[in-house]
Amino acid sequence: MTFQRTKFVDVEVSHPIPNLQALQDYAAVRVLVRVGGVPIEFVDIEGIAECIPAESLRRLIIEQLSLPIMTRYAEAALANGPLPANGIPIEGLTGISLEKNTGRSPLVTVAMCTRNRSEDLPLCLTSLVQIDYPNLDIVVVDNAPTDDSTRSLIEAKFPTVRYICEPRPGLDWARNRAILAAKGEIVAYTDDDVVVDPGWIKALVAMFNDAPDVMCVTGLVVAYEVETEAQGLFERYGGFARGFKRGWFRKPERPQRVDRRKENGENVPLSDAETSVEKQLRYAYYGTGIFGTGCNMAYRRSFLEAAGGFDPTLDVGTPTKGGGDLEMYFRVLREGHALAYEPSAIVRHRHRRELEKLTTQIRSNGVGFYSYLLRITEKYPEERLPVARFGLWWLLAWDVRRLLKSFLKPGFFPRDLIIGEFVTAFAAPHALQQSKICAAKIEKNFPDEPVLKPKGFEHASPTISRKGSQALRTVELTEPLQPLDDIVDCPTTIISVALAGRILDQFELVNAHRPCGVLRLRDAIVSHCGYKLFASNSGEPIAPSDFNAVLTANIRLAE
């Protein structure tokens, strides 16, 4: 597949749509479309000329993204307060306020860990000091530096940023030093090769405010640029993006087992519900990379302290080369807490520009992921069998499948990179053993440096009956949305959505014996009710074609 140099741009639908100019050096454009700052999807345009007129761009956005645009305006209308009895007036759609209220603004410590990359830091640091949040503490942790260039840069050009030196080499040592130095009740981590969005912290904090049992929030990571073949290959490999749908994740509970045999002795297959749970256990609980990546994650500091911080035998700077973020995601879930994904928390990652560095990164992914799996089997012996099954499945579904695909579709992705990741997976046992030896030596060689010790968890899961029946709740949209705090005795809840007494829809919410915050409730209502939330001036429900006509009339062109 031929490399296409791609221009990345943001377009805000609630503002005049611009002409995209100066594109003569690019073969494609990737447009991140936002509504009120919230990213809703990409629009990809290939075979471009020097300019894409605003009218053409507007038409593409409406044709491809009318449903997510509608969803975003519906969320904003619900966030602004009770709906009118007839529904959201479609004629006033683009007049809906898109301002987001995150509630309280706790102190947040932003920790950026770095090592010997002072020439790359100004771009990242400039974006950090421009974050739009009123209560911020920014810390740079310099990990085992070989010179004073990072300290000098910060003292000279970024006086509001705190500098801390962590002499023990390894990313997780640096992450743990950030916990010890943190002043905020939330610690947000990023890397030195990113540019953060001004609204990054506000979006993360909103998720913590919505649900007390959320201990970790990850966000959307998109490419900062695709200017070289290596950067294009990494995007084709999958990149770091995890989609545009907000999500809440918890450890799935296995259903109570039933007798697997009928009276005549035949086997009884798993029910649909049981099959769904089994898939969740396989794909999400151990494959925690689907939740996000270490350059865009935040935690409650109390959780990190109780956990004893990150595992210094994992991640960059050790023989394992990765997995520290994945292992912490796993611990969040295993302890019964929630992990949330918020796509509005955007970080732009500067992918490796050189093929050699990309090769090293992908090889590191192989050894890092399987080192993480081995590490959790050491810490939690009861997980050994399911982790072994998952590891084998992942090897076949990810590595072997992609290798076979490379023969069926030659040129889609370099086979040597696929083979490199596959081979390094088998190096994980030796790498982890060497890493444990290194970590022990480092701790011995730095006896005066502080070490985080686990405090233990006040378990998030109270002892409650798992035989609770299904809860039934009605949500009236002409009244302000309220969290559902009284459904913890039940694993699922049937939600009836009403507008002035008229039932719009009914759906099942899997709440897993937890309350449901307003953000999650709002998302579920919009997802299930969709166009039913809107009405024309006559008060009649609208059709999708009516909505597209309103978008066409109201999304403005550049002046």
Side-chain angles (χ1 to χ4, degrees):
M1 184 175 291
T2 305
F3 165 65
Q4 292 191 115
R5 191 174 178 220
T6 303
K7 178 77 170 180
F8 279 69
V9 297
D10 280 20
V11 169
E12 172 58 56
V13 166
S14 63
H15 296 163
I17 303 295
N19 298 306
L20 302 184
Q21 299 177 322
L23 303 176
Q24 62 271 16
D25 296 328
Y26 294 91
V29 174
R30 169 157 272 201
V31 182
L32 179 62
V33 180
R34 300 203 202 194
V35 181
V38 175
I40 58 170
E41 191 52 85
F42 287 118
V43 170
D44 292 307
I45 310 171
E46 298 182 357
I48 59 176
E50 183 175 344
C51 172
I52 299 176
E55 173 63 32
S56 299
L57 181 56
R58 180 181 72 159
R59 184 172 61 253
L60 283 172
I61 290 173
I62 293 172
E63 287 175 355
Q64 297 183 28
L65 302 180
S66 62
L67 178 60
I69 291 173
M70 178 276 292
T71 298
R72 171 64 186 124
Y73 276 109
E75 289 175 352
L78 286 172
N80 290 339
L83 298 188
N86 290 332
I88 304 168
I90 189 171
E91 285 77 7
L93 179 72
T94 54
I96 295 173
S97 173
L98 297 169
E99 291 295 321
K100 294 179 292 181
N101 179 17
T102 61
R104 59 186 292 265
S105 300
L107 179 62
V108 176
T109 293
V110 174
M112 188 265 281
C113 303
T114 186
R115 184 175 191 269
N116 293 341
R117 297 186 64 176
S118 57
E119 69 281 359
D120 290 330
L121 290 184
L123 188 60
C124 177
L125 288 170
T126 299
S127 70
L128 291 179
V129 298
Q130 293 176 350
I131 290 174
D132 180 20
Y133 188 75
N135 205 4
L136 206 60
D137 166 41
I138 303 175
V139 176
V140 170
V141 182
D142 201 4
N143 187 210
T146 58
D147 58 42
D148 290 332
S149 57
T150 297
R151 180 197 292 269
S152 299
L153 170 69
I154 292 172
E155 290 177 349
K157 296 186 177 180
F158 300 94
T160 61
V161 175
R162 288 198 288 144
Y163 172 89
I164 297 172
C165 180
E166 169 51 66
R168 292 164 293 192
L171 178 56
D172 279 355
W173 288 112
R175 286 169 172 163
N176 289 343
R177 176 64 70 137
I179 299 169
L180 292 166
K183 298 177 181 178
E185 65 178 81
I186 294 170
V187 183
Y189 288 95
T190 194
D191 292 343
D192 54 14
D193 54 358
V194 308
V195 174
V196 304
D197 191 75
W200 177 49
I201 295 298
K202 278 187 177 179
L204 292 173
V205 167
M207 296 295 277
F208 284 112
N209 285 345
D210 187 62
D213 69 327
V214 168
M215 293 296 149
C216 174
V217 181
T218 62
L220 177 66
V221 181
V222 298
Y224 178 74
E225 62 183 9
V226 174
E227 299 284 340
T228 70
E229 182 180 3
Q231 291 176 328
L233 283 173
F234 186 69
E235 282 294 287
R236 203 180 305 161
Y237 171 79
F240 287 130
R242 298 296 183 265
F244 295 88
K245 183 175 177 57
R246 188 181 290 123
W248 290 261
F249 308 95
R250 294 177 177 86
K251 177 183 178 180
E253 296 180 5
R254 290 183 183 274
Q256 188 174 8
R257 290 295 175 181
V258 297
D259 187 2
R260 288 292 174 214
R261 293 186 172 276
K262 295 179 181 178
E263 291 184 1
N264 62 5
E266 294 180 2
N267 288 333
V268 179
L270 286 170
S271 68
D272 290 342
E274 289 175 316
T275 301
S276 175
V277 169
E278 294 294 337
K279 287 181 178 179
Q280 290 180 60
L281 283 166
R282 175 187 292 178
Y283 302 135
Y285 186 42
Y286 301 115
T288 55
I290 69 169
F291 300 133
T293 188
C295 68
N296 189 358
M297 60 182 183
Y299 299 85
R300 296 190 194 272
R301 180 160 57 96
S302 58
F303 174 85
L304 293 174
E305 291 173 342
F310 292 83
D311 189 333
T313 66
L314 297 173
D315 232 299
V316 177
T318 76
T320 63
K321 303 181 186 300
D325 49 354
L326 307 185
E327 194 266 345
M328 188 59 81
Y329 299 158
F330 176 79
R331 273 194 272 173
V332 169
L333 298 175
R334 192 179 188 282
E335 291 302 323
H337 301 288
L339 185 155
Y341 173 74
E342 174 50 80
S344 296
I346 305 173
V347 163
R348 292 175 172 82
H349 185 263
R350 292 178 284 159
H351 301 336
R352 274 70 168 174
R353 297 177 67 92
E354 299 83 14
L355 283 172
E356 304 84 65
K357 292 184 178 180
L358 174 65
T359 300
T360 299
Q361 180 186 3
I362 290 180
R363 286 175 174 267
S364 298
N365 289 348
V367 66
F369 181 71
Y370 285 94
S371 294
Y372 143 70
L373 292 179
L374 288 172
R375 189 60 170 154
I376 62 176
T377 63
E378 291 181 346
K379 291 184 175 181
Y380 311 105
E382 67 276 12
E383 302 284 0
R384 286 175 182 170
L385 182 58
V387 168
R389 289 172 176 167
F390 172 81
L392 179 61
W393 171 84
W394 184 263
L395 192 72
L396 295 173
W398 176 253
D399 295 299
V400 175
R401 179 172 171 268
R402 289 167 67 246
L403 184 59
L404 293 175
K405 185 177 179 181
S406 72
F407 288 98
L408 297 174
K409 296 181 65 176
F412 179 78
F413 196 78
R415 192 174 301 141
D416 59 328
L417 293 183
I418 299 172
I419 294 173
E421 184 178 16
F422 175 75
V423 170
T424 55
F426 296 95
H430 177 71
L432 182 59
Q433 183 61 33
Q434 291 299 112
S435 193
K436 288 189 290 185
I437 294 171
C438 290
K441 286 182 178 179
I442 289 171
E443 193 165 355
K444 182 179 179 180
N445 292 337
F446 294 89
D448 297 329
E449 296 297 331
V451 178
L452 274 168
K453 297 295 184 181
K455 297 180 180 179
F457 295 96
E458 296 180 5
H459 208 278
S461 302
T463 302
I464 53 180
S465 171
R466 299 300 175 184
K467 299 180 181 179
S469 59
Q470 198 170 52
L472 304 174
R473 297 292 181 270
T474 298
V475 177
E476 174 54 65
L477 299 183
T478 59
E479 300 174 1
L481 289 182
Q482 300 293 335
L484 302 179
D485 295 325
D486 59 348
I487 56 176
V488 295
D489 289 332
C490 301
T492 60
T493 302
I494 296 297
I495 307 290
S496 297
V497 182
L499 185 64
R502 174 171 55 94
I503 300 297
L504 299 182
D505 210 329
Q506 191 178 70
F507 59 88
E508 182 182 67
L509 178 78
V510 180
N511 57 284
H513 299 278
R514 296 290 189 277
C516 175
V518 171
L519 273 177
R520 187 181 180 197
L521 180 60
R522 191 176 71 204
D523 278 9
I525 290 171
V526 172
S527 175
H528 287 88
C529 294
Y531 293 105
K532 299 174 185 177
L533 298 172
F534 293 88
S536 62
N537 280 341
S538 64
E540 295 297 322
I542 66 164
S545 57
D546 298 329
F547 186 81
N548 287 358
V550 170
L551 283 182
T552 301
N554 285 278
I555 294 182
R556 297 167 293 173
L557 297 175
E559 297 176 358

